[in-house]
Amino acid sequence: METEQRHFDVLNRINTTILDIQELLFKPLSPETTKALIVSLGDLKDDITCLGHSFLSEIFQELMEIYSLVLEGRIHQTDIAKETTFLAVDIAFRQLVNLESCDDEVSNLRELVYGIKLGDTYGFKVTNKEFLTQQEDKITLFEDSNNSPVPQRPLKMLVVDDEAPNRMLLKAILDPFGMVDVAYNGEEAIEAFELQLVDQDPYDAVFLDIMMPILDGHQTLAKIRKIEREMGIRPNEEAAVLMVSALDSPKDVCNAFFKGFCTDYIKKPITKNLIVNAMVKCNLIQ
């Protein structure tokens, strides 16, 4: 009984620490914020170690070292570090709290974190922490740029996901492009979508998760398209609906495109570049 209680207490601490880290990531990386991030990442690493997830714990140790390099001025492109930290805490939450199987994502994340630490704006193929210096081994992950695509006008967007870390990450990526509302499930999304149409202030884009309780993404998309048809929205005037999901089976992709008429399909884990490229592809920004 005591063991179960200790396990429960550790999970509660992990959940709280993840929320603290996400809040810090929305702030400019001042020296004080960076130091607070290092402390919180250390607390999270210790609790993850207590649960026996050494592979995941090692990633948070590397993230602590990355932010130490930021403090020293040796890593300047902090957006990359922030995006990766968002991905890391999202995966940690899903694997430890939601008990999802995220082993492949953890493995990919580990390589990504090593690449940022060793190559700043580039990811490198890493084996046992050995840095491969050949130019052909260099893989651009995502680059900060002052010439980011911009919308012709501020967009109105809806993010639909039942997991808080995913909602926060998507909202942070989308905020520069306009106004972002969030919904926690398919029913809330449909209610918000219909209300905006009635008010003649429709959403330009909906970013829709597939695996959700109550109504999944496929069901939600079908109802969104039904509402548009009933309100006389022509196909070329429909909202762009971008499915954002960890599912990538041919069945799910085909259902989204050919049954639900989604506009694009984005495979998690999400990054800023994945979202921006999809928005360009859908003519939301240029």
Side-chain angles (χ1 to χ4, degrees), residues 83-153:
E83 288 176 26
T84 306
T85 308
F86 260 114
L87 290 175
V89 295
D90 173 45
I91 290 170
F93 179 85
R94 288 191 286 117
Q95 179 157 322
L96 303 176
V97 180
N98 279 5
L99 301 179
E100 296 179 25
S101 176
C102 302
D103 291 345
D104 289 342
E105 291 177 67
V106 171
S107 180
N108 292 336
L109 180 64
R110 185 189 193 199
E111 188 167 312
L112 174 60
V113 169
Y114 287 160
I116 291 169
K117 181 182 175 185
L118 297 170
D120 198 3
T121 61
Y122 294 95
F124 294 84
K125 295 178 181 176
V126 178
T127 304
N128 297 327
K129 300 190 183 181
E130 293 297 324
F131 182 25
L132 304 181
T133 57
Q134 289 84 356
Q135 188 69 24
E136 59 268 24
D137 290 322
K138 191 179 287 186
I139 309 165
T140 302
L141 297 169
F142 32 57
E143 299 174 349
D144 294 338
S145 171
N146 294 325
N147 300 315
S148 297
V150 295
Q152 295 179 346
R153 58 178 174 77

Side-chain angles (χ1 to χ4, degrees), residues 190-208:
I190 291 163
E191 183 179 345
F193 188 86
E194 188 168 18
L195 181 62
Q196 294 306 131
L197 273 179
V198 170
D199 289 345
Q200 297 185 348
D201 188 19
Y203 289 110
D204 298 291
V206 179
F207 293 81
L208 181 59

Side-chain angles (χ1 to χ4, degrees), residues 160-162 184-187 189-190 208-224 243 245 247 251-252 255-256:
V160 190
D161 199 303
D162 61 311
Y184 303 92
N185 57 53
E187 283 190 346
I190 291 163
L208 181 59
D209 185 31
I210 288 182
M211 294 187 293
M212 295 187 296
I214 305 177
L215 289 177
D216 66 26
H218 292 306
Q219 295 167 317
T220 303
L221 174 58
K223 288 183 178 290
I224 283 174
M243 309 299 279
S245 178
L247 301 174
K251 178 181 177 182
D252 283 295
N255 280 343

Side-chain angles (χ1 to χ4, degrees), residues 20-279:
D20 291 341
I21 290 170
Q22 288 170 336
E23 185 176 345
L24 288 168
L25 289 171
F26 283 115
K27 299 177 180 179
L29 272 187
S30 65
E32 292 74 21
T33 304
T34 307
K35 289 175 184 175
L37 260 176
I38 293 171
V39 171
S40 293
L41 288 167
D43 291 341
L44 186 56
K45 175 188 73 74
D46 291 343
D47 280 334
I48 290 172
T49 302
C50 284
L51 296 179
H53 292 262
S54 58
F55 207 58
L56 188 57
S57 173
E58 189 177 325
I59 288 172
F60 285 96
Q61 175 63 43
E62 295 293 333
L63 284 170
M64 290 170 64
E65 294 180 17
I66 284 172
Y67 285 104
S68 295
L69 293 172
V70 170
L71 269 181
E72 295 170 12
R74 293 170 59 188
I75 290 181
H76 303 285
Q77 303 209 359
T78 53
D79 281 355
I80 294 173
K82 281 187 170 186
E83 288 176 26
T84 306
T85 308
F86 260 114
L87 290 175
V89 295
D90 173 45
I91 290 170
F93 179 85
R94 288 191 286 117
Q95 179 157 322
L96 303 176
V97 180
N98 279 5
L99 301 179
E100 296 179 25
S101 176
C102 302
D103 291 345
D104 289 342
E105 291 177 67
V106 171
S107 180
N108 292 336
L109 180 64
R110 185 189 193 199
E111 188 167 312
L112 174 60
V113 169
Y114 287 160
I116 291 169
K117 181 182 175 185
L118 297 170
D120 198 3
T121 61
Y122 294 95
F124 294 84
K125 295 178 181 176
V126 178
T127 304
N128 297 327
K129 300 190 183 181
E130 293 297 324
F131 182 25
L132 304 181
T133 57
Q134 289 84 356
Q135 188 69 24
E136 59 268 24
D137 290 322
K138 191 179 287 186
I139 309 165
T140 302
L141 297 169
F142 32 57
E143 299 174 349
D144 294 338
S145 171
N146 294 325
N147 300 315
S148 297
V150 295
Q152 295 179 346
R153 58 178 174 77
L155 298 172
K156 188 177 182 69
M157 296 165 284
L158 177 63
V159 169
V160 190
D161 199 303
D162 61 311
E163 294 185 6
N166 294 339
R167 292 194 301 272
M168 295 177 72
L169 175 55
L170 258 175
K171 189 175 186 308
I173 293 171
L174 295 172
D175 272 338
F177 302 110
M179 193 191 82
V180 184
D181 292 335
V182 296
Y184 303 92
N185 57 53
E187 283 190 346
E188 286 191 4
I190 291 163
E191 183 179 345
F193 188 86
E194 188 168 18
L195 181 62
Q196 294 306 131
L197 273 179
V198 170
D199 289 345
Q200 297 185 348
D201 188 19
Y203 289 110
D204 298 291
V206 179
F207 293 81
L208 181 59
D209 185 31
I210 288 182
M211 294 187 293
M212 295 187 296
I214 305 177
L215 289 177
D216 66 26
H218 292 306
Q219 295 167 317
T220 303
L221 174 58
K223 288 183 178 290
I224 283 174
R225 293 305 188 211
K226 183 172 184 276
I227 290 168
E228 288 178 321
R229 289 194 302 272
E230 290 174 347
M231 298 190 72
I233 305 296
R234 292 180 292 186
N236 63 336
E237 296 174 344
E238 291 176 338
V241 178
L242 298 89
M243 309 299 279
V244 184
S245 178
L247 301 174
D248 64 348
S249 71
K251 178 181 177 182
D252 283 295
V253 177
C254 287
N255 280 343
F257 277 108
F258 300 114
K259 290 187 179 179
F261 302 104
C262 78
T263 315
D264 204 358
Y265 196 104
I266 303 168
K267 172 75 167 63
K268 291 179 182 177
I270 55 177
T271 65
K272 180 178 178 181
N273 265 10
L274 273 178
I275 298 300
V276 169
N277 289 340
M279 292 173 74

